[in-house]
Amino acid sequence: MENASRSEGLVSEILVLDSGSTDASESVARAHGAVWHSHSWEGYGPQKRRASQLARNAWILNLDADEVPDLSFWEGLRQFFAERKHECFRAATLERDFVLFKRRLRFGGASEQRRVRLYEKSFFEWNEAAVHEDVVALPGRGTRVGALSGHVLHYSWESTSAFLKSTDERAGVLARQRLELEGQNSPFGARVVFRFWFEFVRSYFLRLGILDGVPGFVFCFFMAFAQALKFVKAYELQVGSDASEAP
């Protein structure tokens, strides 16, 4: 792996927690020195929490399978520890840049997506969210969060079909959560149209996604679609589907 030499001296364990891969993931991971664990899927937050607990080290760097650190990231990580920032901060955010159609997007909210991914696990841990999971401070451990320099490239778009499938699954989970939280009387129907146009105008025009060309338009369109879809599904759950009344 190209990143192996760049992370030399920084990473002492590579751990993979798998949830049912049927391809050559295990053999590839083991060939590069990774520790392999398997566990049935429980949602993003619980799965990442379990992986954190399985790791033998105090500091955890979490990367998803579709995230690739560039050279600047490893230099930033090395600097974080060399300058002893880990003694002031018990966690740090990293910056993700979305890659779409082989283009690194710069606008529309596709870049500068900062997430806490480096943390000391005696101070921070993943929450229980099935989707849109976050690293949170453990109770009673008031801590400061720093920021890593450098970038991680986010290759989330394997294909349009794969992205639509993933978006549909996530929207279904979020819709059920919304319905449980807000109840049957929430105006989900009225929010469907508003949410799509609000998200699209904000990302494509106000956040300058238009400057990223066709990939920028596609990104902004699908991000707005994903936001609206969870309200469509919540509305569907609220009123029931047509099939439930079929003779």
Side-chain angles (χ1 to χ4, degrees), residues 92-111:
T93 61
L94 56 80
E95 182 177 316
R96 299 191 309 172
D97 291 343
F98 201 94
V99 178
L100 180 58
F101 302 140
K102 300 182 179 180
R103 178 168 178 170
R104 185 173 179 170
L105 303 185
R106 301 289 184 179
F107 303 98
S111 63

Side-chain angles (χ1 to χ4, degrees), residues 2-224:
E2 183 181 1
N3 275 298
S5 59
R6 296 177 176 180
S7 61
E8 187 175 354
L10 289 170
V11 178
S12 62
E13 179 187 37
I14 302 172
L15 186 147
V16 177
L17 180 58
D18 182 68
S19 58
S21 294
T22 57
D23 55 14
S25 295
E26 182 174 1
S27 60
V28 171
R30 290 186 184 278
H32 288 89
V35 178
W36 184 270
H37 294 277
S38 297
H39 184 74
S40 57
W41 182 250
E42 296 179 331
Y44 287 96
Q47 202 77 353
K48 291 183 177 183
R49 171 175 286 196
R50 179 175 290 273
S52 177
Q53 294 168 347
L54 289 169
R56 67 171 185 260
N57 295 307
W59 278 87
I60 306 295
L61 171 63
N62 175 266
L63 294 172
D64 290 340
D66 58 3
E67 296 172 343
V68 180
D70 66 8
L71 179 58
S72 67
F73 171 81
W74 294 117
E75 293 173 345
L77 184 60
R78 198 178 304 276
Q79 183 183 42
F80 182 83
F81 287 100
E83 296 181 356
R84 310 188 74 83
K85 293 181 180 179
H86 63 291
E87 296 179 358
C88 300
F89 304 107
R90 301 299 181 177
T93 61
L94 56 80
E95 182 177 316
R96 299 191 309 172
D97 291 343
F98 201 94
V99 178
L100 180 58
F101 302 140
K102 300 182 179 180
R103 178 168 178 170
R104 185 173 179 170
L105 303 185
R106 301 289 184 179
F107 303 98
S111 63
E112 300 181 358
Q113 297 180 348
R114 300 207 69 92
R115 299 288 188 273
V116 175
R117 291 297 185 82
L118 177 71
Y119 59 95
E120 190 173 359
K121 65 181 183 180
S122 59
F123 288 83
F124 282 83
E125 189 54 281
W126 291 94
N127 61 19
E128 293 294 326
V131 297
H132 294 174
E133 70 286 357
D134 285 307
V135 176
V136 296
L138 291 173
R141 308 304 293 265
T143 55
R144 298 168 62 199
V145 177
L148 296 173
S149 60
H151 301 263
V152 171
L153 303 181
H154 188 200
Y155 293 89
S156 176
W157 194 284
E158 179 184 355
S159 67
T160 303
S161 297
F163 188 84
L164 285 171
K165 180 181 178 181
S166 174
T167 299
D168 179 66
E169 292 172 352
R170 285 172 175 260
V173 174
L174 291 171
R176 289 189 290 273
Q177 291 177 351
R178 284 276 180 175
L179 188 61
E180 292 174 3
L181 180 65
E182 300 182 26
Q184 283 287 342
N185 295 323
S186 183
F188 293 120
R191 294 156 73 180
V192 171
V193 176
F194 169 78
R195 191 58 182 245
F196 175 86
W197 288 112
F198 171 80
E199 294 292 343
F200 182 77
V201 169
R202 183 177 67 161
S203 59
Y204 192 61
F205 294 106
L206 301 182
R207 303 182 74 177
L208 303 179
I210 191 173
L211 299 181
D212 276 324
V214 173
F217 174 84
V218 173
F219 174 82
C220 295
F221 174 84
F222 274 99
M223 292 304 103

